[in-house]
Amino acid sequence: MNHTNITERFIFSDGESRLLGVFGDPISHSLSPKIHNLSLAKLDLNYHYLPFHVKPHELSTAINGFKALGGVGFNATVPHKVPLVPLMDNLDAAALKIGAVNTVAIDENGKFNGYNTDAYGFITALKEKYNEALSQKNILVLGAGGACRAALLALLDEGADKIFLANRTVTKAKELSYDFNQHYPKATITPIPLNFSSLELSNIDLIVNTTSLGLHGEDNFPLAIEQLPSHALVYDIVYSANQDTPLQKLANSQGLTFIDGLGMLIHQAARAFQIWTGEEMPVDLVKSHIFGK
Ligand SMILES: NC(=O)c1ccc[n+]([C@@H]2O[C@H](COP(=O)([O-])OP(=O)(O)OC[C@H]3O[C@@H](n4cnc5c(N)ncnc54)[C@H](OP(=O)(O)O)[C@@H]3O)[C@@H](O)[C@H]2O)c1
């Protein structure tokens, strides 16, 4: 098959075409089908990647049905990443430590192999703009959900050793700190409430938002951004293809270096693509063609 145009590729599907997809609830907002189908077309690989709206109580039926239809791999998004864990036959180290699966490869024996590529996506996007060692940096991470676990793992694996973890529900930040301190005893992870007053922001070198604040177009972000030093880097993993997030607007207003969540999204997809196809995703093409960057 040599049909690099996406529409043509679907018309010329044949018995050799392999099925990939993404399961979520909701799913219509997902950019993953565009990212993967563009990349598959560019490399002329005979796969199709489809979005599937899967309700939580149908997850087990859906993954087994997908396998029965010959599907070879899929991504998972909210709310399926954690519930997928016990449905897997094997888990990679990141999925085990994070406790969530975002990529599944179904092997020739019909086994479900669960991966988590979010930590890889997070750190790859960070390193594209930030070359400094993370050791001895004061890092403030906002959130304590699934994405936060991936970000924490990535930061700690990269040498971060001073992290403040701020969350609205502070008990969750405490549980997460305790959990990660067991695996990374040399690091200091300090749980604090999201409306912290005890923290001196002028000492912070890197701030990472992993809460879903900004996802729904909220105007306000509860952070006294003017207190950050001018060298501070602001990283918001929430992404919006069309408009700046509230945190991005704050960072811009202070002239601070900013990283948005699109890089993480693309790089986690690139790792999944590599797991399924063995090929490198044309990341620059995806950035320019889909995100205009
Ligand atoms: N760029 C990427 O590739 C990528 C990858 C994964 C996720 N994400 C984004 O990351 C965000 C979080 O995802 P997740 O999977 O970690 O979700 P999650 O597990 O549901 O966690 C949500 C987090 O946001 C906090 N939160 C929610 N609403 C809040 C509010 N109104 N005020 C303050 N804090 C609030 C929660 O605090 P409580 O604990 O107090 O509820 C929790 O810490 C989402 O926007 C998602 O789109 C981006």
Side-chain angles (χ1 to χ4, degrees):
M1 186 167 94
N2 184 19
H3 303 291
T4 49
N5 173 290
I6 292 178
T7 315
E8 259 191 44
R9 282 164 48 79
F10 274 95
I11 293 171
F12 289 96
S13 294
D14 57 27
E16 300 296 314
S17 302
R18 279 165 288 180
L19 181 62
L20 297 168
V22 55
F23 296 2
D25 176 25
I27 196 62
S28 58
H29 67 290
S30 176
L31 296 169
S32 295
K34 278 188 188 166
I35 295 173
H36 285 284
N37 284 319
L38 175 71
S39 304
L40 293 165
K42 174 68 183 171
L43 300 185
D44 195 24
L45 298 173
N46 193 2
Y47 294 77
H48 299 307
Y49 185 107
L50 296 173
F52 294 100
H53 189 169
V54 175
K55 294 284 179 194
H57 69 281
E58 303 271 35
L59 183 61
S60 176
T61 311
I63 69 167
N64 284 297
F66 185 81
K67 179 169 84 174
L69 290 171
V72 293
F74 59 92
N75 285 128
T77 184
V78 175
H80 301 314
K81 292 185 187 183
V82 174
L84 268 179
V85 171
L87 301 177
M88 296 293 106
D89 296 299
N90 302 301
L91 291 170
D92 79 340
L96 260 177
K97 282 191 197 161
I98 295 166
V101 165
N102 78 330
T103 300
V104 178
I106 304 172
D107 64 29
E108 57 279 9
N109 299 316
K111 301 280 187 211
F112 290 111
N113 299 292
Y115 301 82
N116 193 303
T117 67
D118 280 336
Y120 168 84
F122 172 90
I123 205 71
T124 307
L126 176 65
K127 284 171 39 192
E128 280 180 343
K129 277 205 177 175
Y130 194 71
N131 293 320
E132 297 187 33
L134 295 181
S135 169
Q136 294 302 305
K137 293 282 189 301
N138 286 307
I139 303 175
L140 171 60
V141 177
L142 310 177
C148 185
R149 295 185 73 92
L152 274 182
L153 179 74
L155 290 167
L156 290 161
D157 277 347
E158 199 60 30
D161 49 15
K162 286 167 75 182
I163 297 178
F164 299 92
L165 188 61
N167 195 45
R168 178 178 61 180
T169 311
V170 76
T171 49
K172 281 200 208 165
K174 284 183 182 161
E175 284 165 15
L176 204 52
S177 307
Y178 178 80
D179 219 10
F180 274 88
N181 270 321
Q182 304 293 308
H183 291 103
Y184 298 88
K186 289 188 183 147
T188 307
I189 308 169
T190 311
I192 54 175
L194 191 60
N195 57 350
F196 46 80
S197 48
S198 51
L199 187 66
E200 191 59 64
L201 280 179
S202 60
N203 292 329
I204 295 296
D205 302 296
L206 169 61
I207 177 164
V208 179
N209 175 45
T210 74
T211 73
S212 38
L213 273 172
L215 186 62
H216 307 294
E218 300 92 337
D219 288 334
N220 296 317
F221 197 94
L223 183 75
I225 196 118
E226 67 285 354
Q227 292 177 16
L228 287 171
S230 58
H231 73 267
L233 180 108
V234 180
Y235 185 1
D236 191 355
I237 73 157
V238 172
Y239 59 83
S240 159
N242 307 319
Q243 57 181 26
D244 291 354
T245 64
L247 181 56
Q248 185 166 7
K249 287 179 193 158
L250 283 182
N252 290 346
S253 73
Q254 297 297 307
L256 298 173
T257 306
F258 180 81
I259 301 178
D260 66 25
L262 290 174
M264 176 177 173
L265 177 74
I266 294 170
H267 288 295
Q268 64 75 29
R271 177 54 73 90
F273 189 86
Q274 208 267 336
I275 289 169
W276 296 322
T277 68
E279 303 284 342
E280 297 299 318
M281 177 177 274
V283 163
D284 289 339
L285 176 82
V286 171
K287 281 183 183 170
S288 63
H289 201 82
I290 299 183
F291 302 109
K293 300 205 170 182

